[in-house]
Amino acid sequence: MDGKPVYEPLLSRKEDVSGYPKKKSFLLSSAKWILWVTMWVIFIAWAAFIFLYPSDFVSDLYQKWRRASHGTLFGVTGSTFLIFSAPILLITFLATAYLLLCGEEEIHEKKTSRFPRFRLWTFPVLVDGPFGVVSAAEMIGIVLFTAYIIWAFAAETVKNSQLIAMFFDHLPSKEKSVLMLELTGLRLGLIGLFCMAFLFLPVARGSVLLRLIDIPFEHATRYHVWLGHLTMALFTLHGLFYVIGWAIEGRLVRELMDWRNFGIANRPGVISLVAGLLMWVTSLPGVRRLNFELFFYTHQLYVVFVVFLALHVGDFIFCFAAGGIFLFMLDRFLRFCQSRKTVDVLSARSFPCGTLELVLSKPANLHYNALGWIFLQVRELSWLQWHPFSVSSSPLDGDHHLAILIKVLGDWTEKLDRRISSISEKGPYNSKLTVSVEGPYGHESPYHLTYENLILVAGGIGISPFLAILSDVLHRIKDGKPCQPRNILIVWAVKTSTELPLLQTLGMENIHPTFSETLNLEIQTYVTRESGPSLEEGKIIEPVNSAVFTASKRSGMSVLAGTGDILWSGIYVIASTIGLVITVALLDALYINPYRVVYWWYKGFLFVACMFVSVLVFGGLVIGLWHLWERRTSLHEFKNVENGNVQQNAPRLAGKEQYLNTTLYGQRPDFTGIFQSAADRWGSVDIGVIVCGPPTLQTSVAKECRTQNLRRGGNHAIFHFNSHSFDL
């Protein structure tokens, strides 16, 4: 093709045009290595302490640490926070420094191996179970959490039995049974609290931690769901054991309404558990899919759940899980500030296949990759509803715009379609389309660029992110930027042929007229509900309704959340954490210690209040400075745009096809034949498989990847499964 050996990537990182240094500074490499090892040591020590806490040695060690902290400024609360919550915050600080040292170039270019090899994150182990498609790495996590629950429950049960035998053996059997129930409930609550330490970490969408380990939000959401089921099951059993014991002794109502000042306050615990149960029940798949709005609105009860949990257990016990909750609060406030800004809609189009396209204004310094997500709100439709959509444009398509494709499937999308039709008829000056955006979210690095061989499997509107991938690859090849893919196979399943013209919106020949010289592209389309081509096939797609708007100077997306600036994100977390320490110190020095405040529930409330104040005041100050910097940067960029208007994303014309395009009617993809054919043609290589579509499609592809890998011969390809499907 271009004279290079067949085993070399198209655009090698050794080339000067890539802009990547050939050698790295020893000092820089050493600093990154030290940071990476330090983070791992802290995490392993923190996780090991939690895992081994049920053992006598570790629990005794913690009690000695608590006793040693009596009389200090922060007291028991400070010592508990230092052990159970501070480590995850410290890792966040170090992660900021690590990502800054890595720089954008290294983040966006992963190492590739000359020989194919298995990877834990991309090898599907389970495909049909209750967890959906589970990779080997995820399976290890599930096993570890299961082992912890079994070990912790067994160890705590032995402790309970020994405690009763030692101090309460003289009690009647009925009272001993009740005491055993209450002690078991107590231990289950503690185990649930430790699980809760991890619960909020995956849903901090723009978290530096998620960016460090390169887990996109749509994957992290699954982990939150799993942890949510586990945590609520433990808390429910915790309450149930107490309720049974109290009912046996005839003091159920009195205990449920009890709000004692010293020790655990029961009534706040009841309120917290009820809020948690409402969130849990409405988040079950059947309820969530039947009524998403009920799930969404009920899930806002997490505020009640957390606050009354703090009132229930007090400040120092709440510190077992405070670190993850604090990081979530930081992320939530940052997203709130970002979503208050309205975003210009540059153009809106409605296509005959029931698909909408919105092109949104963004600043040039807002970074994302072709596999990004955004959450969209249209205020004319609802002030509360936010819906996730995959980005359909490459970041290289233009510095000042971002496009998404929306399938008209439900009430909200139907209202949006009617709104666009109304604007098309009346003109953009007579109608409004006010949108706000959260994100973009997604992988920190564009992993699709690290595979020389790609199979992209889409179902219906799932083609949207793959249009962005194709555009990204073509732009990079044309501009001489780092890009590994040279073989791309797209397998697209649609119900009817009306969706086929969506491919024409990309205009590959307009991006890079001679891309076929360096990229082997094949598209296989399966029209499952038609037996043959229609008379309209092959015609250029024309939107049914369209509207073009004029962009204002300061109405692009905000860069505060998503893949925002790492330096500002780190300053925001560090300043807020320092603010929390200062706020708690002032409260202890000026109020709690001098006035001998000892009520558990009240101190729990004050601690949560300190968390809120530190986020709002100290974090808010950083956000204000960040916003001023953003406005200054955006205004400077806007002056560089001709005539003060952003005219982009004009409809592209379809040119002569330079790739193999096959359309098959009345059948579904035969993944066994497709994968085997690709392996035969491409040889013993790593093949990245990315799926975007319904769960059944993901399951079929994951099962085939697993089958191909398990029966792999010495010279057979290895298929790496990656999912890009968002399912709330």
Side-chain angles (χ1 to χ4, degrees):
M1 294 200 285
D2 56 357
K4 292 185 179 182
V6 68
Y7 56 83
E8 289 189 9
L10 286 175
L11 298 173
S12 172
R13 276 169 280 169
K14 297 179 181 179
E15 295 176 346
D16 293 335
V17 294
S18 68
Y20 285 78
K22 294 182 180 179
K23 294 184 179 180
K24 300 175 183 177
S25 165
F26 174 77
L27 185 61
L28 179 63
S29 300
S30 300
K32 290 189 299 182
W33 183 84
I34 291 172
L35 285 171
W36 185 255
V37 172
T38 304
M39 287 186 289
W40 267 110
V41 169
I42 295 172
F43 176 77
I44 292 173
W46 175 62
F49 196 90
I50 292 176
F51 189 90
L52 297 175
Y53 183 81
S55 67
D56 291 334
F57 173 76
V58 175
S59 59
D60 291 343
L61 193 64
Y62 167 66
Q63 294 301 327
K64 291 178 182 178
W65 175 258
R66 280 185 54 188
R67 288 192 292 270
S69 64
H70 274 293
T72 61
L73 175 62
F74 294 101
V76 176
T77 302
S79 60
T80 305
F81 187 89
L82 193 61
I83 292 178
F84 294 103
S85 292
I88 200 66
L89 297 175
L90 181 57
I91 292 174
T92 305
F93 301 163
L94 298 176
T96 302
Y98 178 82
L99 293 175
L100 286 172
L101 288 179
C102 285
E104 183 179 335
E105 292 177 348
E106 288 191 28
I107 291 174
H108 289 163
E109 186 70 10
K110 292 184 176 180
K111 294 181 180 179
T112 56
S113 174
R114 184 184 298 272
F115 303 102
R117 60 181 182 180
F118 293 105
R119 301 169 192 168
L120 293 177
W121 284 107
T122 60
F123 187 91
V125 176
L126 299 178
V127 295
D128 293 322
F131 298 103
V133 179
V134 178
S135 68
E138 292 168 339
M139 191 64 194
I140 292 173
I142 292 173
V143 170
L144 289 176
F145 265 96
T146 304
Y148 167 69
I149 298 300
I150 295 173
W151 140 253
F153 184 76
E156 298 292 2
T157 301
V158 171
K159 280 186 181 181
N160 293 342
S161 301
Q162 293 175 346
L163 184 65
I164 291 176
M166 188 176 299
F167 298 104
F168 304 100
D169 193 48
H170 62 281
L171 294 176
S173 58
K174 178 182 177 181
E175 294 185 12
K176 283 197 293 186
S177 299
V178 171
L179 182 60
M180 187 65 178
L181 285 171
E182 293 182 358
L183 288 174
T184 303
L186 174 66
R187 307 301 188 184
L188 287 170
L190 182 62
I191 297 171
L193 203 59
F194 282 133
C195 291
M196 192 174 167
F198 297 89
L199 176 63
F200 287 90
L201 294 177
V203 284
R205 297 175 185 172
S207 169
V208 175
L209 290 177
L210 294 186
R211 299 175 68 178
L212 173 70
I213 56 181
D214 204 12
I215 295 180
F217 178 63
E218 70 267 21
H219 289 189
T221 302
R222 301 175 67 212
Y223 310 149
H224 172 72
V225 171
W226 298 346
L227 287 168
H229 289 316
L230 175 61
T231 303
M232 284 311 305
L234 290 168
F235 281 159
T236 302
L237 290 173
H238 159 72
L240 185 62
F241 274 87
Y242 272 104
V243 166
I244 294 174
W246 294 335
I248 291 175
E249 292 192 334
R251 52 191 176 100
L252 176 60
V253 176
R254 184 175 74 253
E255 289 288 352
L256 290 178
M257 299 304 294
D258 179 64
W259 193 320
R260 61 176 63 98
N261 294 323
F262 299 99
I264 302 297
N266 293 337
R267 198 190 311 172
V270 172
I271 297 173
S272 178
L273 182 58
V274 170
L277 288 172
L278 287 173
M279 289 191 293
W280 190 23
V281 171
T282 56
S283 67
L284 296 175
V287 180
R288 187 177 70 245
R289 294 193 181 111
L290 184 65
N291 194 331
F292 178 83
E293 291 186 20
L294 177 63
F295 154 75
F296 177 81
Y297 296 136
T298 308
H299 233 62
Q300 308 313 306
L301 289 172
Y302 71 85
V303 178
V304 176
F305 175 72
V306 170
V307 171
F308 279 89
L309 175 66
L311 300 181
H312 172 56
V313 299
D315 55 341
F316 79 93
I317 297 179
F318 182 74
C319 285
F320 287 154
I325 295 172
F326 186 63
L327 287 177
F328 172 77
M329 290 170 60
L330 288 169
D331 181 75
R332 187 65 191 88
F333 182 60
L334 193 64
R335 290 190 282 118
F336 173 81
C337 294
Q338 184 196 36
S339 63
R340 294 309 93 195
K341 184 177 182 181
T342 58
V343 177
D344 277 334
V345 179
L346 303 181
S347 67
R349 297 193 288 175
S350 175
F351 296 109
C353 58
T355 301
L356 310 175
E357 181 192 57
L358 293 184
V359 181
L360 309 174
S361 174
K362 80 169 189 69
N365 64 326
L366 187 145
H367 302 291
Y368 70 99
N369 65 61
L371 286 170
W373 292 87
I374 67 168
F375 280 77
L376 183 71
Q377 176 204 60
V378 180
R379 297 186 180 181
E380 285 77 19
L381 306 183
S382 172
W383 278 78
L384 297 176
Q385 292 189 43
W386 291 84
H387 295 265
F389 297 103
S390 180
V391 175
S392 61
S393 62
S394 163
L396 301 178
D397 278 332
D399 290 336
H400 299 280
H401 84 279
L402 176 150
I404 58 173
L405 291 176
I406 303 171
K407 185 69 174 178
V408 180
L409 291 173
D411 294 339
W412 187 87
T413 53
E414 289 176 357
K415 292 178 183 178
L416 180 59
D417 188 23
R418 290 195 295 269
R419 187 76 185 178
I420 293 175
S421 300
S422 174
I423 293 174
S424 178
E425 295 172 0
K426 298 178 182 179
Y429 299 104
N430 298 318
S431 301
K432 290 179 61 179
L433 197 62
T434 309
V435 305
S436 295
V437 170
E438 278 188 20
Y441 304 108
H443 275 278
E444 183 68 18
S445 59
Y447 65 89
H448 61 280
L449 298 178
T450 65
Y451 294 105
E452 292 185 25
N453 309 279
L454 280 173
I455 298 179
L456 310 178
V457 183
I461 196 61
I463 194 66
S464 177
F466 299 154
L467 297 179
I469 287 179
L470 277 180
S471 177
D472 199 43
V473 170
L474 294 177
H475 276 294
R476 287 178 173 274
I477 292 176
K478 183 185 71 173
D479 299 337
K481 294 184 176 182
C483 180
Q484 300 293 333
R486 60 178 177 182
N487 295 305
I488 298 180
L489 169 62
I490 297 179
V491 181
W492 185 25
V494 296
K495 294 179 180 179
T496 63
S497 57
T498 57
E499 298 182 59
L500 298 181
L502 285 178
L503 283 174
Q504 298 174 6
T505 62
L506 179 59
M508 290 177 278
E509 292 78 9
N510 292 346
I511 299 174
H512 188 17
T514 59
F515 74 85
S516 61
E517 297 177 4
T518 51
L519 178 68
N520 176 27
L521 174 64
E522 180 182 354
I523 299 178
Q524 296 180 9
T525 307
Y526 295 82
V527 184
T528 60
R529 295 188 179 180
E530 294 181 4
S531 58
S534 65
L535 297 176
E536 302 294 324
E537 185 174 334
K539 290 187 177 181
I540 302 298
I541 185 172
E542 294 290 345
V544 176
N545 298 292
S546 63
V548 179
F549 302 83
T550 301
S552 60
K553 289 187 177 181
R554 295 177 181 175
S555 292
M557 294 180 192
S558 171
V559 300
L560 293 181
T563 52
D565 187 275
I566 293 174
L567 178 60
W568 278 109
S569 299
I571 294 174
Y572 171 63
V573 175
I574 293 172
S576 300
T577 305
I578 294 174
L580 176 61
V581 175
I582 293 173
T583 306
V584 173
L586 291 174
L587 186 68
D588 285 336
L590 301 178
Y591 180 58
I592 291 180
N593 294 337
Y595 291 94
R596 300 182 182 278
V597 177
V598 293
Y599 292 176
W600 282 31
W601 68 267
Y602 185 48
K603 292 179 69 175
F605 171 77
L606 291 177
F607 188 82
V608 173
C610 288
M611 295 171 68
F612 276 106
V613 169
S614 63
V615 173
L616 294 175
V617 177
F618 292 86
L621 177 62
V622 174
I623 290 176
L625 296 174
W626 190 354
H627 180 66
L628 291 176
W629 172 82
E630 178 193 354
R631 286 180 59 187
R632 182 177 178 181
T633 305
S634 299
L635 186 60
H636 175 73
E637 291 170 354
F638 190 85
K639 291 178 180 178
N640 295 329
V641 181
E642 294 182 358
N643 301 323
N645 288 317
V646 182
Q647 300 293 341
Q648 302 186 64
N649 206 66
R652 295 164 174 156
L653 299 177
K656 181 180 179 182
E657 291 184 352
Q658 304 179 41
Y659 54 91
L660 181 59
N661 189 353
T662 306
T663 303
L664 303 172
Y665 291 86
Q667 56 182 291
R668 299 180 180 276
D670 174 19
F671 291 115
T672 300
I674 292 171
F675 281 35
Q676 188 61 53
S677 175
D680 293 340
R681 285 182 286 132
W682 297 341
S684 180
V685 294
D686 287 305
I687 299 178
V689 180
I690 307 177
V691 185
C692 185
T696 53
L697 182 64
Q698 296 179 54
T699 299
S700 299
V701 175
K703 187 178 297 184
E704 189 57 39
C705 287
R706 185 182 64 180
T707 301
Q708 293 283 344
N709 291 338
L710 289 178
R711 67 185 186 194
R712 174 179 181 265
N715 296 319
H716 196 273
I718 294 179
F719 294 87
H720 300 272
F721 177 82
N722 299 273
S723 172
H724 187 70
S725 299
F726 200 103
D727 181 26
L728 273 179

